[in-house]
Amino acid sequence: MEQAGAVVAQAASSSVREFTVDRSWWSWEGAHGGSLVALALEAMRDDVVARSGPDRSVRTINAHFLRPVDERPFRLAGTVEHAGRGSSVASFRAAQEGAPVLFGSAVFGARRPGPDEAGSPAPTVPPPDRCDLLALPPGLVAFGDHLEIRPAGPNLPLSGAADPELLAWIRFADRRALDAAAVVILADALPPALFARWTRPRAAPSAELTVHFGNALDDGPVSGWALVRMRTEHAGNGWALDDSAVWTGDGRLLALGRQARRVLADRSAPDPAGGGARPPQPR
């Protein structure tokens, strides 16, 4: 990732790191939430490996977003709360100039023999080379320039569709391999699925994000495209509940996500040319 970070202090079970996030990773009025959680995950993974060894993969991560993060430095403090024989639990808190912006926790688990169950199969869709490229409005979601998005389902953002679901092939523009941090970003990469229903944008920032990982990364990062689905399961009283799923190109489950969003007042956002908000366009 392009964010800058440095270890400020580190003890046996805790550490403090300082990061900055440049505007290319912004979404609306601050840093993209998934990229912030990815930074926290990488920091906790380093602490867990230092404490428990390299045999533990992340199984779940949960984050609460308290304030937008801008380009000023912010500090992320991580603590290994538990290091057992089969699992470790770590927590993190981040603050920017003393104001809390993010906190959460993650569970890391060693690989063990157990049952196999593929309960969330990937949908059947056209391959990426048969799907058009989607251009996201740079004034609203700058982080989209780091991704190549090719819608694979019938709905586009801001198309007035009947179903609040978005489905797309996604890969990083720099063609990086997909590790756990990259998968967290992908789980939050598509717009809120209500955008499929709407015809003009509204801010719907994440208040909380949880990502549960499958075992596809237990043998290391994977390469190529990921298939990502975002669906609004419920919305009302200014809140929405979105579920996401991320699969490898060959249909293995990488992760399932769920997030609670605040749905803010309806407003049009100007495009860089000064006109009204424009929906994303395939090209």
Side-chain angles (χ1 to χ4, degrees), residues 194-205:
L194 285 172
F195 269 50
R197 298 280 306 272
W198 297 339
T199 57
R200 61 180 185 175
R202 295 172 63 176

Side-chain angles (χ1 to χ4, degrees), residues 6-18 43 47 75-79:
V7 178
V8 179
Q10 189 161 7
S13 60
S14 62
S15 65
V16 178
R17 291 172 170 83
E18 188 170 276
D47 293 343
R75 286 196 168 194
L76 189 146
T79 301

Side-chain angles (χ1 to χ4, degrees), residues 29-42:
E29 298 177 350
H32 173 243
S35 66
L36 293 176
V37 181
L39 286 173
L41 172 57
E42 290 178 327

Side-chain angles (χ1 to χ4, degrees), residues 46-283:
D46 289 346
D47 293 343
V48 166
V49 167
R51 176 78 178 271
S52 305
D55 68 332
R56 305 201 173 178
S57 299
V58 62
R59 303 303 173 182
T60 182
I61 187 168
N62 167 266
H64 298 263
F65 303 95
L66 307 181
R67 291 178 176 85
V69 172
D70 57 29
E71 65 267 69
R72 295 172 297 169
F74 71 94
R75 286 196 168 194
L76 189 146
T79 301
V80 179
E81 306 283 356
H82 169 76
R85 289 186 296 176
S87 64
S88 299
V89 179
S91 64
F92 63 92
R93 289 182 176 271
Q96 194 167 52
E97 294 192 352
V101 294
L102 182 74
F103 77 92
S105 62
V107 176
F108 297 80
R111 187 171 182 166
R112 295 287 187 268
D116 291 326
E117 178 61 45
S120 297
T124 301
V125 297
D129 60 4
R130 290 175 51 196
C131 300
D132 292 330
L133 182 67
L134 183 70
L136 296 176
L140 294 179
V141 283
F143 84 93
D145 286 344
H146 292 284
L147 305 172
E148 184 177 341
I149 302 175
R150 294 180 177 269
N155 300 336
L156 291 175
L158 305 179
S159 62
D163 191 29
E165 180 175 295
L166 296 168
L167 181 64
W169 291 105
I170 306 179
R171 65 181 175 186
F172 284 86
D174 60 10
R175 303 296 191 267
R176 73 186 66 179
L178 301 182
D179 59 6
V183 170
V184 168
I185 295 174
L186 295 184
D188 190 35
L190 289 176
L194 285 172
F195 269 50
R197 298 280 306 272
W198 297 339
T199 57
R200 61 180 185 175
R202 295 172 63 176
S206 299
E208 181 271 346
L209 171 65
T210 298
V211 180
H212 296 272
F213 294 84
N215 64 1
L217 296 177
D218 281 7
D219 293 323
V222 299
S223 59
W225 291 90
L227 182 63
V228 182
R229 182 179 65 200
M230 183 76 73
R231 180 172 179 81
T232 298
E233 297 294 345
H234 181 78
N237 293 336
W239 290 84
L241 179 63
D242 270 3
D243 281 351
S244 59
V246 185
W247 295 274
T248 63
D250 59 3
R252 291 175 293 155
L253 180 69
L254 286 165
L256 296 173
R258 172 162 285 192
Q259 57 185 296
R261 302 183 187 271
R262 296 183 297 125
V263 182
L264 304 186
D266 187 8
R267 61 184 177 91
S268 293
D271 64 38
R278 297 179 299 179
Q281 299 293 324
R283 63 173 185 245

